[in-house]
Amino acid sequence: MKQNDNNKVSVLFMLFGTLFCVCLIAANLFATKQISLGTISVTGGLIVFPLSYIVNDCVCEVWGYRRMRMLIWLGFAMNFFFVLMGALCDWIPAASYYTNEEGFHGVFGLAPRVAAASFLAFLVGSFMNAYVMSRMKLADRGHSKEGFTRSFSLRAVMSTIAGETADSLIFFPLALGGIVPGEALMELMLWQVVLKTVYEILVLPLTLRVVTWLKCVEQEDVYDEDISYNVFKLTLEH
């Protein structure tokens, strides 16, 4: 398939970018609720946050690392704006007749420590996921059409493990260190990585169909040859 080097983006890419940003913002909101999965307690963000990694895999596979890098920074900016506006609204005194200030504060009154840990973990985890996906695709170049399912599945799972591990190793110690006992913290980190990876594996059949369809419709299948992996390079040039 051709590799489109111009700076234009398609409608589908724009939709995937929108979904990516929505997943990040929704994960922040849902994370304010602790949910129970049998004997395991996790944040509600587990429902939607892994979708951002699936979008990451799809975009990297079809459009390449450079466009995913742009989406990661866009997602960061939109998430930061959302959190900032929520904090501002939380800080402004409530109307005399408003009775849900405590509930609103529980959702939008994100502690600076938790917010900083969340933003840093997102950036490192997302870029790690994109980098592993990109480098493994280059290494797999030349695989047969029949071998695509196996090679893409391995890339998707390994990149998720790398990204989610980096995310957990940064977020939980920074956000909860000194609050949650060390042993419980390690267990929480492990379960987050395991459950999010299982999530990725369960939806792999759908992800494969989406990627195959995107490549067919977009006529793109980018291999990131001779590009800069500098995370601060925001242009689409090599």
Side-chain angles (χ1 to χ4, degrees):
M1 294 185 184
K2 70 178 182 178
Q3 295 194 31
N4 190 353
D5 289 328
N6 63 43
N7 291 335
K8 295 180 180 179
V9 295
S10 68
V11 172
L12 282 173
F13 178 81
M14 183 181 68
L15 291 175
F16 268 73
T18 303
L19 176 61
F20 185 70
C21 293
V22 169
C23 286
L24 298 179
I25 293 171
N28 262 356
L29 286 176
F30 298 164
T32 59
K33 179 178 180 178
Q34 300 290 312
I35 60 176
S36 177
L37 298 177
T39 59
I40 305 168
S41 294
V42 295
T43 67
L46 182 67
I47 295 173
V48 67
F49 187 70
L51 286 174
S52 68
Y53 278 77
I54 294 170
V55 172
N56 192 323
D57 291 343
C58 291
V59 172
C60 262
E61 178 69 20
V62 178
W63 291 286
Y65 175 87
R66 289 174 296 161
R67 282 195 167 90
M68 190 60 232
R69 176 174 56 199
M70 182 175 68
L71 281 192
I72 291 171
W73 283 113
L74 177 63
F76 176 85
M78 295 299 99
N79 206 10
F80 181 80
F81 178 76
F82 173 79
V83 170
L84 185 63
M85 292 298 102
L88 177 62
C89 191
D90 183 51
W91 174 77
I92 297 173
S96 58
Y97 53 82
Y98 185 70
T99 60
N100 194 39
E101 187 163 13
E102 184 177 347
F104 188 91
H105 179 74
V107 175
F108 293 99
L110 199 61
R113 176 182 176 182
V114 175
S118 176
F119 287 134
L120 181 60
F122 159 70
L123 285 176
V124 175
S126 295
F127 277 117
M128 181 65 71
N129 186 91
Y131 176 80
V132 171
M133 193 75 183
S134 172
R135 298 301 296 179
M136 287 187 70
K137 184 176 181 181
L138 282 175
D140 288 340
R141 186 165 198 170
H143 61 69
S144 65
K145 185 176 180 181
E146 292 74 19
F148 167 71
T149 297
R150 179 183 60 81
S151 60
F152 174 78
S153 298
L154 181 62
R155 292 198 295 275
V157 172
M158 293 304 294
S159 62
T160 295
I161 292 174
E164 294 290 4
T165 299
D167 185 287
S168 295
L169 285 174
I170 292 171
F171 176 76
F172 289 103
L174 289 181
L176 303 176
I179 300 173
V180 176
E183 185 177 339
L185 193 64
M186 291 298 295
E187 184 178 345
L188 185 59
M189 291 163 61
L190 178 62
W191 274 117
Q192 288 285 320
V193 174
V194 170
L195 291 175
K196 289 175 181 178
T197 303
V198 169
Y199 192 130
E200 171 89 36
I201 293 171
L202 290 176
V203 300
L204 259 177
L206 176 60
T207 307
L208 276 164
R209 287 180 178 273
V210 171
V211 166
T212 302
W213 177 76
L214 283 173
K215 287 184 177 183
C216 180
V217 172
E218 292 288 279
Q219 286 297 295
E220 292 225 43
D221 189 9
V222 172
Y223 286 82
D224 295 314
E225 295 178 317
D226 302 320
I227 70 164
S228 170
Y229 284 98
N230 181 355
V231 299
F232 298 107
K233 187 172 183 179
L234 302 183
T235 63
L236 293 178
E237 287 80 13
H238 282 65

